Amino acid sequence: MLSRVNKTHDVTLWKKLHSLTRKSLSTTTLLRQEAPPSSQEHLSGTSSFKTVSFLSTDEKHHKTKKSVVILGSGWGAISFLKNIDATKYDVSIISPRNYFLFTPLLPSTPAGTVDEKSIIEPVINFASKKKGSITYIEAEAKAINPDRNTVTVDSMTTVATLKAKDSSSHDSVAGLKRAEPFEVKYDYLITAVGAEPNTFGVKGVEEYGHFLKEIPNSLEIRRKFAENIEKANLLPKGDPERKRLLSIVVVGGGPTGVETAGELQDYVSQDLKKFLPSLAEEVQIHLVEALPVVLNMFEKKLSSYAQSVLEKTTIKLHLKTAVGKVEKDHLIAKTKKPDGTVEEQKIGYGTLIWATGNKARPVVTDLFTKIPEQNQSTRALNVNQFLQVKGSKNIFAIGDNAFCGLPPTAQVAHQQAEYLCKNFDKMEKIDGFHNTLLKKTEKFDLPFEENGFKPFNYIHLGALAYLGSERAIANITYGKRSFYTGGGLITFYVWRILYLSMILSARSRFKVISDWLKLTFFKRDFFKGL
Amino acid sequence: MLSRVNKTHDVTLWKKLHSLTRKSLSTTTLLRQEAPPSSQEHLSGTSSFKTVSFLSTDEKHHKTKKSVVILGSGWGAISFLKNIDATKYDVSIISPRNYFLFTPLLPSTPAGTVDEKSIIEPVINFASKKKGSITYIEAEAKAINPDRNTVTVDSMTTVATLKAKDSSSHDSVAGLKRAEPFEVKYDYLITAVGAEPNTFGVKGVEEYGHFLKEIPNSLEIRRKFAENIEKANLLPKGDPERKRLLSIVVVGGGPTGVETAGELQDYVSQDLKKFLPSLAEEVQIHLVEALPVVLNMFEKKLSSYAQSVLEKTTIKLHLKTAVGKVEKDHLIAKTKKPDGTVEEQKIGYGTLIWATGNKARPVVTDLFTKIPEQNQSTRALNVNQFLQVKGSKNIFAIGDNAFCGLPPTAQVAHQQAEYLCKNFDKMEKIDGFHNTLLKKTEKFDLPFEENGFKPFNYIHLGALAYLGSERAIANITYGKRSFYTGGGLITFYVWRILYLSMILSARSRFKVISDWLKLTFFKRDFFKGL
């Protein structure tokens, strides 16, 4: 078992998915689609909203199941979806992104090492494999309203209720308008919306730089770099503009930054060099990090090794360096010298990748203001040991939008989701638990304590990072016990095998294996705009 | 050996490519990149152009090699590039599309059966495998100027000269501006620019419909259909707008139209049905053909079989039906009844795919006006038995932009390219041939006849088409001898194996195999906008 410490990179060895064949698909996922849900007017303050309940007519008449609404489609949300017992709860999932993204391999995609489609899996594919009924709403949650237990949803793109074949109830009420805001009621809310990239107030980043958080970012980075190569190729060697176009600046020395720099360097030295060697020689990748080390979540031995590997390539490391300002074609970097002085330098770039860290999303910061106990929160929702959002009885937060003293990593999100699903199983088994909890007006964690629920206990499974040039570092642990600490070529294969095992869907695993196998024989697929 | 009769579908069994390993790449394709070519002012009529010659300084001083400029990057152009001896000619290739597209599998891509990236291969990958020096100019040829043996090129995106490592000469003249028009000189020009989709004057097609000729078309069709599914899913069953959104009209009953309809129907009945069954039931695909049969290039037995397969699916065939007008959400179809009357009907659509045929590109129609012997040409350049453009001594045309009484198919283009390369080999071996030909002022084909060049002889290798539901038809011939005529499941596997063998690059073949293998276990990758 293994994992790593970074918001988008940290992962854990999930239970092996049984592989999925066409046959099993046709027998287990013959699901029905329902027309959109019934709706009723709901007055909220000055504005009028429709409140909808995603229950069938049948269910409305004999309602016993509590509704659980999940926000998000990342590690926390999808791990929760996979583990929640949908025969005991009415489960809905709301997310504007209709697929899960295997974030640990995102740095491999701009260079074309792994295809973007290989690391995503549609939400409906996870939902359709579950027993019971799941409703997926493709929409962004704009606000959480704890006063009336609803989520405000804007501009729904689509909605699908996936229901096991043996389930008989159907609803055929006419639909909601696409652009009409409405509210979804919940008994329990699981907020797992993650976080968004943080520019830390540096101007020009959003305008001129690229984040690497989502699939479209990867496509943009590849398009930009490909166009810059073309433009540079029309200029004579030594031209300053050619030099600028061929400069890539990666800001952030965490796993995302290091891996992206390493992957792009691999593309340049393994592929581009084959057909445009003099141009490949002139590509300069800069890696800018404010701390004195890269990959500071690893132990000193490994981060030093990482640094030495990076220095052997042509990647230029700028440590203890902060970015002051970003302009259209250059940025100002301030490096702290050993004597305490600060040296300012101008670094020209053709492509700027910003991978420094994340901040809370608006739907989360909005909730900070609505729950008095969260008024002091800034980065994420404070949760208690049962992952209840402090100050709420029926809102739970997991993953990067929850704060409980752990790093914002995929393995934390995943373990939290699994823990919470176990609690939901137990909640269902205890007579009257739901009523006790949902009617409480204070001491919201008391029902959990009184019924002997165990607090969430995180087991750190380690960390992994790819450095480029087929070198990786890994530290595999189980809590405080360390099983493997290494760096190099063998660790690179360890890295590959562990990542494969962590992928949440068999289809995605198949595609990543194909991509890596292809790379053994052929160059990367580096197509501008594809 | 086998092939088929359609502009984008006809193919032939190419000589097996020796498979390419990373090792062989690094030893055979270590190539150098050159800065852009030298340029000199050239006055052309009232406008001033730069004329460039893609020769190194060394080559300019001791020039003996004739320059061959290829226009295009399709079947004709790439087959010519692969076969021409670049140690004997200075070869340049000009095309705005920097990759070859394996057109026979394009109908498989909108449905996600095969990935778009799997059926394309960069021009530079073909160029870099050749001995000798190849210059690739990523730009559109705007005009051919037979009076001064140049091609006018507008807005060059990039240029790369790929040169074998042992070649020593280099040029380091400063570059041309991206947006500056310039002219490229040639001794011989091979025009293989293909054709563009033809709306046959039907209004509204370009505005509301999608062609299926290039990779971006495939992405657009998938995005459109995915969005329509989402919109339809918000509407109640039976809603007329839902019905319209779920209607796909394919115009054109040739292989492109039939295969696209079949592939989309496969997606609907095999994948969409799994998670949105009631919606999948309402999808209606229409196939509109003006002739009384689909796939009319096949013998009666096979086209009848094709028709029976299509009729067994839910695809609705409209034969003897012409499209009169295309509006935003419907089209007017006119069907000729057995009694000779014409019935008009309105067919609503959410997605319209137009696959009826092609017409000449502007650079070709412009040339019609410049060569007196071509003034009467409309569809393509008339060529003689040596593939010389009639009225020109040093312009050759192959593929869809050439007319010699053969259908505009990939197998014709490929055979023409191979034939022409053999002639170019021979031209080089005959003392003084180039001088004799290039100094001629009339009877341009005489040097070919006098030197015993054989006329182009086309060998028809048959035809193939996929019908959907894992059924295909095939007619495999060698000229007039027929080896295999069949339709059904076995023919579907024959179809797959033959297509694989026709793919021009090992990388592309690897990726198509992966895609098909993936489909055995998983659903299609049907991602909106990816």
Side-chain angles (χ1 to χ4, degrees):
Chain A
M1 299 284 280
L2 155 134
S3 69
R4 49 190 271 200
V5 189
N6 175 263
K7 44 241 76 178
T8 54
H9 287 74
D10 159 306
V11 273
T12 177
L13 269 177
W14 318 134
K15 284 168 224 142
K16 272 256 168 188
L17 269 182
H18 56 278
S19 67
L20 178 66
T21 66
R22 181 165 281 269
K23 186 158 171 293
S24 75
L25 252 179
S26 59
T27 53
T28 62
T29 64
L30 271 169
L31 302 156
R32 300 223 203 98
Q33 172 267 343
E34 259 194 301
S38 56
S39 57
Q40 58 178 92
E41 288 295 322
H42 182 98
L43 288 169
S44 139
T46 53
S47 59
S48 153
F49 285 103
K50 295 219 169 193
T51 304
V52 298
S53 155
F54 286 88
L55 296 176
S56 64
T57 320
D58 192 51
E59 282 161 343
K60 264 178 268 173
H61 287 284
H62 314 279
K63 188 183 169 180
T64 49
K65 291 205 275 180
K66 294 291 173 199
S67 65
V68 175
V69 172
I70 309 165
L71 303 186
S73 54
W75 282 101
I78 296 297
S79 301
F80 187 90
L81 177 66
K82 278 173 72 94
N83 286 288
I84 187 72
D85 187 342
T87 64
K88 294 193 182 129
Y89 292 94
D90 270 307
V91 179
S92 301
I93 175 163
I94 301 173
S95 177
R97 189 183 76 187
N98 64 16
Y99 52 81
F100 167 73
L101 166 60
F102 185 73
T103 45
L105 282 176
L106 190 58
S108 295
T109 59
T113 305
V114 169
D115 189 76
E116 282 82 6
K117 283 183 197 171
S118 300
I119 58 167
I120 63 181
E121 188 70 32
V123 172
I124 47 168
N125 284 4
F126 293 106
S128 67
K129 269 162 220 151
K130 307 260 320 164
K131 281 184 190 167
S133 157
I134 311 275
T135 298
Y136 169 55
I137 305 167
E138 187 176 323
E140 193 173 336
K142 289 292 180 187
I144 296 162
N145 315 299
D147 56 330
R148 54 184 184 274
N149 294 327
T150 68
V151 177
T152 306
V153 170
D154 219 4
S155 285
M156 174 168 64
T157 312
T158 197
V159 58
T161 297
L162 304 174
K163 199 166 275 231
K165 212 192 171 184
D166 50 274
S167 162
S168 61
S169 56
H170 268 266
D171 209 319
S172 58
V173 178
L176 292 155
K177 287 279 182 300
R178 244 172 107 82
E180 202 170 301
F182 65 100
E183 294 190 6
V184 179
K185 280 193 84 68
Y186 61 80
D187 292 318
Y188 295 104
L189 182 70
I190 316 299
T191 165
V193 298
E196 59 185 38
N198 197 347
T199 64
F200 296 99
V202 178
K203 278 182 189 159
V205 176
E206 295 202 28
E207 196 174 351
Y208 305 118
H210 301 278
F211 298 119
L212 185 54
K213 184 97 172 76
E214 300 290 346
I215 291 292
N217 299 145
S218 172
L219 299 171
E220 287 156 19
I221 291 169
R222 183 162 61 249
R223 178 191 291 270
K224 183 79 173 180
F225 186 39
E227 282 174 358
N228 286 342
I229 290 170
E230 289 186 340
K231 287 180 196 167
N233 198 31
L234 291 180
L235 298 169
K237 211 171 165 167
D239 186 293
E241 175 66 0
R242 174 166 154 131
K243 201 181 156 194
R244 177 188 75 77
L245 288 164
L246 296 176
S247 158
I248 298 176
V249 177
V250 180
V251 182
T256 305
V258 168
E259 296 195 334
T260 305
E263 291 274 5
L264 287 170
Q265 185 62 47
D266 282 356
Y267 165 71
V268 171
S269 51
Q270 290 170 18
D271 295 349
L272 187 62
K273 201 178 164 182
K274 302 261 168 68
F275 48 88
L276 294 172
S278 78
L279 197 138
E281 273 170 27
E282 285 186 77
V283 173
Q284 178 61 63
I285 299 176
H286 299 268
L287 185 60
V288 179
E289 169 58 51
L291 296 173
V293 287
V294 293
L295 301 170
N296 80 310
M297 63 289 297
F298 285 89
E299 54 188 276
K300 184 83 187 96
K301 195 175 74 179
L302 290 182
S303 60
S304 299
Y305 171 77
Q307 204 154 313
S308 72
V309 169
L310 291 173
E311 279 162 356
K312 261 180 230 158
T313 69
T314 56
I315 294 173
K316 195 167 177 185
L317 272 179
H318 302 261
L319 298 173
K320 294 186 192 170
T321 303
V323 174
K325 206 165 79 172
V326 172
E327 300 282 355
K328 195 182 186 310
D329 54 5
H330 70 273
L331 52 79
I332 303 297
K334 291 174 188 173
T335 307
K336 208 171 178 181
K337 303 307 261 179
D339 63 6
T341 60
V342 171
E343 191 189 59
E344 229 182 64
Q345 68 172 311
K346 187 175 148 179
I347 307 177
Y349 68 82
T351 313
L352 171 64
I353 299 165
W354 193 266
T356 55
N358 297 323
K359 65 178 180 188
R361 292 192 190 275
V363 68
V364 172
T365 52
D366 174 67
L367 192 57
F368 292 163
T369 66
K370 290 174 173 169
I371 298 173
E373 287 84 344
Q374 300 290 338
N375 289 351
Q376 301 306 312
S377 300
T378 50
R379 284 175 45 191
L381 293 158
N382 271 300
V383 294
N384 65 20
Q385 55 184 347
F386 305 112
L387 306 182
Q388 272 173 311
V389 168
K390 286 181 184 168
S392 164
K393 56 195 165 194
N394 58 345
I395 304 178
F396 297 82
I398 54 178
D400 289 8
N401 70 5
F403 181 74
C404 58
L406 294 169
T409 67
Q411 69 176 311
V412 170
H414 176 73
Q415 291 185 29
Q416 287 175 331
E418 287 195 328
Y419 161 81
L420 205 53
C421 287
K422 275 186 198 147
N423 280 8
F424 270 75
D425 282 346
K426 192 169 172 183
M427 283 154 69
E428 189 57 30
K429 281 177 193 147
I430 298 168
D431 239 18
F433 184 91
H434 291 305
N435 281 343
T436 312
L437 176 63
L438 296 176
K439 279 176 187 154
K440 266 202 127 358
T441 51
E442 57 176 355
K443 290 194 178 167
F444 299 135
D445 55 350
L446 205 60
F448 290 103
E449 284 192 348
E450 287 179 342
N451 285 285
F453 282 73
K454 282 184 196 145
F456 172 62
N457 177 33
Y458 171 66
I459 296 161
H460 183 59
L461 301 167
L464 286 168
Y466 177 60
L467 308 169
S469 323
E470 307 194 335
R471 295 288 178 277
I473 53 174
N475 178 23
I476 305 173
T477 62
Y478 186 84
K480 285 181 181 166
R481 287 182 58 188
S482 182
F483 290 98
Y484 177 87
T485 303
L489 181 63
I490 291 168
T491 308
F492 169 64
Y493 289 105
V494 170
W495 176 91
R496 279 198 167 177
I497 290 164
L498 291 175
Y499 268 20
L500 274 185
S501 69
M502 292 164 203
I503 293 177
L504 293 186
S505 80
R507 175 197 145 276
S508 189
R509 188 173 304 128
F510 179 96
K511 289 193 64 117
V512 169
I513 292 173
S514 299
D515 290 344
W516 284 343
L517 197 60
K518 190 204 116 230
L519 202 67
T520 315
F521 303 107
F522 310 104
K523 285 188 280 228
R524 287 164 182 78
D525 287 357
F526 197 82
F527 295 105
K528 176 178 64 174
L530 268 180
Chain B
M1 299 284 278
L2 155 135
S3 68
R4 50 189 270 198
V5 189
N6 176 265
K7 42 239 71 169
T8 54
H9 285 74
D10 161 306
V11 274
T12 177
L13 270 176
W14 318 133
K15 284 169 224 141
K16 274 255 166 188
L17 269 181
H18 55 278
S19 69
L20 179 67
T21 65
R22 182 164 281 268
K23 187 158 172 290
S24 76
L25 253 179
S26 59
T27 53
T28 62
T29 65
L30 271 169
L31 303 155
R32 302 228 200 92
Q33 173 267 342
E34 259 195 301
S38 57
S39 57
Q40 58 178 91
E41 289 294 323
H42 181 101
L43 288 167
S44 139
T46 53
S47 60
S48 155
F49 284 103
K50 295 220 170 193
T51 304
V52 299
S53 153
F54 286 88
L55 295 175
S56 64
T57 319
D58 194 49
E59 282 161 339
K60 263 180 270 172
H61 288 285
H62 315 280
K63 189 187 170 183
T64 50
K65 291 205 272 180
K66 295 291 172 197
S67 64
V68 175
V69 172
I70 308 165
L71 303 186
S73 54
W75 282 100
I78 296 297
S79 301
F80 187 91
L81 177 66
K82 280 174 71 96
N83 286 286
I84 187 72
D85 187 342
T87 63
K88 294 193 182 127
Y89 292 95
D90 270 307
V91 180
S92 302
I93 176 164
I94 301 174
S95 178
R97 190 183 75 188
N98 64 16
Y99 52 81
F100 167 73
L101 166 60
F102 185 72
T103 45
L105 283 176
L106 189 58
S108 295
T109 59
T113 305
V114 170
D115 190 76
E116 281 82 5
K117 283 183 198 171
S118 300
I119 58 167
I120 62 180
E121 188 70 32
V123 173
I124 47 169
N125 283 3
F126 293 106
S128 66
K129 270 162 218 152
K130 307 266 312 170
K131 281 184 189 166
S133 156
I134 311 275
T135 298
Y136 168 56
I137 306 167
E138 187 176 322
E140 194 172 336
K142 289 292 180 187
I144 296 162
N145 314 298
D147 56 331
R148 53 184 185 274
N149 294 325
T150 67
V151 176
T152 305
V153 169
D154 219 3
S155 284
M156 174 167 64
T157 312
T158 196
V159 58
T161 296
L162 304 173
K163 200 167 275 233
K165 212 191 171 183
D166 51 276
S167 163
S168 61
S169 57
H170 268 267
D171 208 318
S172 58
V173 177
L176 292 155
K177 288 280 184 304
R178 242 172 110 81
E180 201 170 303
F182 64 99
E183 295 190 7
V184 179
K185 279 192 84 67
Y186 60 79
D187 293 317
Y188 295 105
L189 181 70
I190 315 300
T191 164
V193 298
E196 58 184 39
N198 196 348
T199 64
F200 296 99
V202 177
K203 279 182 188 160
V205 176
E206 296 202 27
E207 194 175 352
Y208 305 118
H210 301 278
F211 298 119
L212 185 54
K213 184 96 172 80
E214 300 290 346
I215 291 293
N217 299 145
S218 172
L219 300 171
E220 287 155 21
I221 291 169
R222 184 162 59 249
R223 178 191 292 269
K224 182 79 175 182
F225 186 37
E227 283 174 358
N228 286 342
I229 290 171
E230 289 186 341
K231 286 179 196 167
N233 197 32
L234 291 181
L235 298 168
K237 211 172 165 169
D239 186 294
E241 175 67 0
R242 172 165 157 135
K243 200 181 156 196
R244 179 189 74 78
L245 287 163
L246 296 177
S247 158
I248 299 176
V249 177
V250 180
V251 182
T256 305
V258 169
E259 295 195 333
T260 306
E263 290 275 5
L264 288 170
Q265 185 62 47
D266 282 356
Y267 165 71
V268 171
S269 51
Q270 291 170 16
D271 295 348
L272 186 63
K273 200 178 165 182
K274 302 261 168 67
F275 48 88
L276 294 173
S278 79
L279 196 137
E281 272 169 29
E282 285 186 76
V283 173
Q284 178 62 63
I285 299 177
H286 300 267
L287 185 59
V288 179
E289 169 58 51
L291 296 173
V293 287
V294 294
L295 302 170
N296 79 311
M297 63 290 296
F298 285 88
E299 52 189 277
K300 184 83 189 94
K301 196 175 74 183
L302 291 180
S303 60
S304 298
Y305 171 77
Q307 203 156 312
S308 73
V309 169
L310 291 173
E311 279 162 355
K312 260 180 231 157
T313 69
T314 57
I315 295 172
K316 196 167 177 186
L317 272 180
H318 302 261
L319 297 174
K320 295 185 190 171
T321 304
V323 174
K325 207 166 79 173
V326 172
E327 300 281 356
K328 194 181 187 312
D329 54 5
H330 71 275
L331 53 80
I332 304 296
K334 291 172 185 172
T335 307
K336 209 171 175 181
K337 304 306 266 181
D339 62 5
T341 60
V342 170
E343 191 189 61
E344 231 184 64
Q345 68 172 311
K346 188 175 148 178
I347 307 177
Y349 68 81
T351 312
L352 171 64
I353 299 166
W354 193 265
T356 56
N358 297 323
K359 65 177 181 190
R361 292 193 190 275
V363 67
V364 172
T365 54
D366 173 66
L367 192 56
F368 293 164
T369 67
K370 290 175 174 169
I371 299 174
E373 286 84 343
Q374 299 291 338
N375 289 352
Q376 302 306 312
S377 300
T378 50
R379 284 175 46 191
L381 293 158
N382 271 299
V383 294
N384 65 19
Q385 55 185 346
F386 305 114
L387 307 181
Q388 272 173 308
V389 169
K390 285 181 185 169
S392 165
K393 55 196 166 194
N394 59 346
I395 304 178
F396 297 82
I398 54 177
D400 289 9
N401 70 6
F403 181 74
C404 59
L406 294 168
T409 66
Q411 70 176 311
V412 170
H414 175 73
Q415 291 185 28
Q416 287 175 332
E418 287 194 328
Y419 161 81
L420 206 52
C421 287
K422 275 185 197 149
N423 280 7
F424 271 74
D425 282 346
K426 192 170 172 183
M427 284 153 68
E428 190 57 30
K429 280 175 192 151
I430 298 168
D431 239 19
F433 185 92
H434 292 305
N435 282 343
T436 311
L437 176 64
L438 296 175
K439 279 177 187 154
K440 265 200 125 358
T441 52
E442 56 177 357
K443 290 193 177 166
F444 300 136
D445 56 350
L446 205 60
F448 290 103
E449 285 193 348
E450 287 179 343
N451 286 286
F453 283 74
K454 283 184 197 144
F456 172 61
N457 177 32
Y458 171 66
I459 296 161
H460 183 58
L461 301 167
L464 287 168
Y466 177 60
L467 307 169
S469 321
E470 306 195 335
R471 294 289 178 275
I473 53 173
N475 178 24
I476 305 172
T477 63
Y478 186 83
K480 286 180 180 167
R481 288 182 59 187
S482 181
F483 289 99
Y484 177 88
T485 302
L489 182 63
I490 290 168
T491 308
F492 169 64
Y493 289 105
V494 170
W495 176 91
R496 280 198 166 176
I497 290 164
L498 290 175
Y499 268 20
L500 275 184
S501 69
M502 293 164 203
I503 292 176
L504 293 186
S505 79
R507 173 197 147 276
S508 189
R509 189 173 302 129
F510 179 96
K511 290 194 64 122
V512 170
I513 292 173
S514 300
D515 290 344
W516 284 342
L517 198 59
K518 189 205 115 226
L519 203 67
T520 314
F521 304 107
F522 310 105
K523 285 188 281 231
R524 286 163 185 78
D525 287 357
F526 197 82
F527 294 106
K528 176 177 63 175
L530 269 180

